[in-house]
Amino acid sequence: IGAGKHVHLDKPAGESLPQFRRLLDTAARQNLLIQLGYMYRYNPAVLLLRDFLAKGWLGDVFEVHTVMSKVVSPASRRELAEYPGGMMFELGCHLIDLVVGVLGKPQKVTAYPQHAAEVDDGLRDNMLAVFEYPEALATVKSSAMEVEGFARRHLVVCGTKGTFHIQPLDNPSARIALASERPGYRRGYQEVTFPRYTRYVADAADMARIIRGDKAADFSYQHDLHVQAAVLQASG
């Protein structure tokens, strides 16, 4: 950024919120892109969810529930244990990016960090965070021990006019319930399938379009700052 270059930055954005804020401010002054490596931003099911929200088809959102877990190897556990945020810092950050995308900056984040495995490596491997909003609650769950955890990774958004349930997140399909018929969708529950999703390809393509000046960035500096603050709070 100091050299005037656009940056793709892997997640999460470090351990220091003031340092990340300085980085964003420097990028903003030069109109440079900092694209965060949150891997579900261009997931086709998430894109459809954003479209539903923009059209108001789900009504007022009052609940978001998310899970992202897997079985982590002993060697990887030791590496991740270096960070006190554990699995929330490592995996839950992807979900927090989605939660903030749906509901915005939370009023309050309460972390429930836990080490549950028998192995004494210090990794916070069973993590939960509750996000409070004036008229909504969101939960983010991430663990290092869930058998076939990829299959249960999900995002559920409940509104007064409909529910949008994406599962699994990595190879997405969705169950959508609507209170009334919408163009292309019927009242009640229906299944929606998507082409197989390959991570990061759409991110790179979008970054190229932004750098060429074909479009503006979909995620503001302020969004990324709110996400990082929430990640640190949710990590305890």
Side-chain angles (χ1 to χ4, degrees):
I1 293 296
K5 305 295 183 181
H6 302 283
V7 170
H8 177 92
L9 179 64
D10 198 15
K11 59 78 204 171
E15 296 178 271
S16 168
L17 189 63
Q19 181 177 342
F20 184 53
R21 184 183 287 110
R22 287 193 295 271
L23 182 65
L24 291 174
D25 289 344
T26 303
R29 286 195 296 271
Q30 301 177 77
N31 198 29
L32 294 174
L33 173 66
I34 297 180
Q35 184 190 64
L36 271 294
Y38 289 117
M39 65 188 186
Y40 296 130
R41 285 184 169 184
Y42 299 94
N43 179 308
V46 173
L47 295 179
L48 184 62
L49 168 63
R50 290 200 192 106
D51 184 55
F52 271 54
L53 291 168
K55 292 174 177 174
W57 288 1
L58 299 183
D60 297 323
V61 175
F62 61 87
E63 176 185 342
V64 177
H65 178 62
T66 66
V67 175
M68 185 176 182
S69 299
K70 64 180 180 180
V71 175
V72 178
S73 69
S76 293
R77 287 182 63 99
R78 288 191 293 271
E79 292 178 1
L80 295 177
E82 174 185 346
Y83 300 97
M87 296 311 295
M88 188 64 70
F89 193 70
E90 165 67 9
L91 287 184
C93 59
H94 289 291
L95 304 176
I96 293 169
D97 182 62
L98 297 177
V99 170
V100 173
V102 171
L103 289 171
K105 180 183 178 180
Q107 280 190 332
K108 182 181 179 182
V109 179
T110 305
Y112 297 90
Q114 187 180 73
H115 173 86
E118 292 183 359
V119 58
D120 186 22
D121 56 12
L123 174 66
R124 287 176 163 179
D125 54 16
N126 195 32
M127 304 287 284
L128 169 69
V130 177
F131 288 56
E132 296 180 42
Y133 294 85
E135 297 178 341
L137 289 171
T139 58
V140 178
K141 182 73 178 66
S142 185
S143 75
M145 302 163 295
E146 183 174 341
V147 176
E148 298 295 336
F150 280 86
R152 204 175 69 88
R153 291 182 176 184
H154 65 258
L155 168 68
V156 185
V157 177
C158 300
T160 53
K161 297 180 181 178
T163 294
F164 201 112
H165 182 166
I166 304 171
Q167 186 176 348
L169 274 166
D170 297 84
N171 184 25
S173 63
R175 293 187 73 230
I176 303 170
L178 294 172
S180 58
E181 184 178 326
R182 301 291 185 180
Y185 300 90
R186 64 180 182 272
R187 182 180 181 276
Y189 262 113
Q190 54 227 281
E191 304 280 342
V192 179
T193 58
F194 303 89
R196 184 161 187 87
Y197 173 60
T198 303
R199 299 175 185 173
Y200 307 119
V201 174
D203 305 54
D206 196 64
M207 188 177 196
R209 287 191 290 269
I210 295 167
I211 291 172
R212 292 188 192 111
D214 296 338
K215 66 183 292 286
D218 296 321
F219 302 92
S220 67
Y221 303 116
Q222 198 65 42
H223 169 85
D224 288 339
L225 186 64
H226 290 333
V227 170
Q228 181 62 11
V231 167
L232 296 174
Q233 291 171 323
S235 297

